[in-house]
Amino acid sequence: MKTFIKLILLVIFICGFIHTAVTLYKNLPHVYTEAYPTLYQDQLRIMFGPDYQIGEKKTIHIKAENCDCGFHTDGYIYDEWDITYQDQNGYTYTQTLNNRTNLASQQLSWMQNQLSAYYKQKYFLNRFPEGTFQDLSADEYFGKSYCFISIGYPVTSYTSDLRDEYEQTKEKGMKYKEALLQSLTEDENLISFYKLDYENIFNFFPMCVSIDLSIDDPHLQGKEKKLHESKLRSDILGIMEEINRDTNYTSNLTMYISSDNGGCDLYDGSRNWRYYILLGKPFEEKDSKNMRQSYDWQLYYAYEGIYW
C-alpha cells in the first residue's frame, strides 16, 4: 500500500512539474533581434527617398498573458524605429518600422497611414478652423473624426442569403491579398512613399477612402445650427468632388457627417448624412436598406476580373 501511495504521489509530482514546465515555456516571449534598418537599408531608401531620417531603436516588451478560462496570448520582445520623410508635396510623415512584422505587410500599413494623413491635411485641416471637427488630426488615425483607408476585399458584412456568396468572394479577396504581399517583397514593386502617386492611386489598388466627420457644434441650436451645418455640408460635398477630380474620377469615397459624433441630431433631424462615390461616380440605391453594405458589394464586383 505504501508503495502504491508513493507511486501516486510521484505521478502527481511529475504531472505538476510537466504542467509548470509547459506554462513556463508558453510564457517565454518571442524575441526578434534583426537590425531592420541595416538589413533593409536599400529597400528603405527606395521607399522613403534618399533624405529619410531614422530614429533611435526602441525595444518593446509585451508580456504573455494567461486566463483561467484557458485563453493565452504570447509574449514578444522586438525593436522599433521611427522613420521620418517628406513626400513630393512637402508633407512630412513619420512611420514606425518594426522587426517583428515582414516588410511587405508593413508597407500596406504605412500606405494607409500616409493616405489618411494626406487627405485629412490637404482637404480639411488646411481649410477649416481648428476645432471645426472633433478629434480631426493628421497624427491620430482614429477619433470621433477620422479617415480610414481600406485596401483589398471590401465586404465586411452580409445578410444570411448572401452567406455562400460572401465565403466564395472572400476567398478570392484573400488570394489577392496573398499575391499583393508576395509582390511587395520584390524591390521593383516596393511602394515609393516619398513620391506616392496620389492622382492615380485608385488605379493601382482596390481601395476605398472612408471619411467620418463629427461636427463640434452641440452648443448650437435653431437658425444658427442650420446655417453652420448647411454651410459645412456644402463645403464637404465640394471637397468630395475635388478629391474625385484630383484622382481623375477614379475614386472610391464614402463620407459620413454627424454632429457631436451622433450625440446630437443634425439641423434637419437626421442622425447623420452619408454620401458615396464609386469608381468616380455618385452611388445611391434608394431601395437599399443598408447602403454601406450595398456599396461594399458593388465595389467588390467593380473590380471582379481585375484583382480577383
Side-chain angles (χ1 to χ4, degrees), residues 289-305:
K289 295 180 180 179
N290 188 327
M291 183 70 78
R292 182 57 199 248
Q293 185 179 105
S294 177
Y295 176 87
D296 290 346
W297 277 108
Q298 291 303 314
L299 180 58
Y300 170 82
Y301 285 115
Y303 288 121
E304 191 173 34

Side-chain angles (χ1 to χ4, degrees), residues 4 47 62 136 153 161 179 185 217 267:
F4 178 74
M47 291 187 287
I62 300 177
L136 189 64
Y153 185 68
D161 59 310
T185 63
D217 69 343
Y267 78 85

Side-chain angles (χ1 to χ4, degrees), residues 139-152:
D139 300 324
E140 298 296 328
Y141 199 77
F142 280 115
K144 291 183 178 179
S145 299
Y146 60 86
C147 175
F148 176 73
I149 310 298
S150 62
I151 303 168

Side-chain angles (χ1 to χ4, degrees), residues 14 50 96 134 137 197 207 211 225 231:
I14 293 174
T96 300
Q134 296 173 319
S137 165
D197 189 352
M207 192 182 84
I211 300 175
K225 179 179 177 70
K231 175 64 166 59

Side-chain angles (χ1 to χ4, degrees), residues 48 85 94-96 98 101-117 141 149 151 177 180-181 184 191 193:
F48 299 112
Y85 61 100
T94 297
Q95 306 280 16
T96 300
N98 75 75
T101 311
N102 65 67
L103 206 60
S105 295
Q106 291 189 74
Q107 286 181 72
L108 293 183
S109 296
W110 293 336
M111 187 166 71
Q112 289 175 309
N113 293 340
Q114 179 167 329
L115 288 172
S116 174
Y141 199 77
I149 310 298
I151 303 168
K177 186 73 171 289
L180 174 60
L181 290 174
L184 292 177
I191 300 173
F193 295 98

